[in-house]
Amino acid sequence: KYNQQLLKQTLSEVEEVKLMLRTIFAGLKGSFNFEQSLIERIACEDEVDREILRLLFGVGSPGLLPKDLAAKLARFKVQRFQISRRILRMNKRLQIEFGEEVAEQRGWHWALTSFAFETWGGNEKAG
């Protein structure tokens, strides 16, 4: 019982620290330089997510339909509806941490947001 109580207390303290970090980060967001690896580590769960982002960066502003993304990712055996769900999950994870989204829907197409495009573009120029 004591260990469970200690665990709950520790978990609540960790959550307080996370909240404090998010608050500090929100204040410094304008001066913070995001890197592609940081965004990928937070937003992406696996190689399929990374590949989706790379494809979206490659096509630029017009974006791609989920069925076109699924066709290009045939080796991973993902369906078109799974593409949209994966993008929404990536957006949710990034929204929680940074208050930004990685991709947005433009009509039926998915395209990188300006935030994500600047992050990827900045690294392409530097690297």
Side-chain angles (χ1 to χ4, degrees):
K1 221 173 184 181
Y2 173 75
N3 285 339
Q4 287 178 340
Q5 188 179 16
L6 211 70
L7 180 63
K8 285 181 183 178
Q9 181 182 357
T10 306
L11 290 175
S12 69
E13 288 173 0
V14 166
E15 288 302 317
E16 287 178 22
V17 169
K18 283 183 178 180
L19 179 63
M20 221 180 334
L21 283 172
R22 285 189 195 112
T23 305
I24 291 169
F25 178 76
L28 298 174
K29 189 167 33 171
S31 62
F32 191 73
N33 290 329
F34 293 96
E35 293 183 4
Q36 179 178 349
S37 60
L38 176 67
I39 302 302
E40 281 185 352
R41 195 172 8 167
I42 292 171
C44 300
E45 274 186 342
D46 55 9
E47 188 60 33
V48 179
D49 289 349
R50 287 182 190 85
E51 195 62 31
I52 289 170
L53 294 180
R54 287 186 197 116
L55 288 171
L56 289 177
F57 177 74
V59 296
S61 182
L64 281 172
L65 289 169
K67 71 175 186 175
D68 296 335
L69 280 167
K72 291 182 180 197
L73 297 171
R75 63 187 167 153
F76 295 111
K77 297 179 178 150
V78 292
Q79 304 286 328
R80 63 176 171 76
F81 62 88
Q82 292 171 325
I83 299 290
S84 294
R85 283 192 296 173
R86 283 178 169 273
I87 292 172
L88 290 173
R89 281 196 308 250
M90 285 189 280
N91 279 343
K92 185 176 181 180
R93 285 190 290 271
L94 206 61
Q95 184 71 33
I96 288 170
E97 293 298 325
F98 297 139
E100 298 283 349
E101 291 185 344
V102 73
E104 63 188 0
Q105 226 172 352
R106 296 180 183 162
W108 291 100
H109 295 235
W110 282 103
L112 289 182
T113 60
S114 58
F115 164 76
F117 200 76
E118 289 168 6
T119 300
W120 260 255
N123 286 339
E124 292 293 320
K125 293 174 190 168

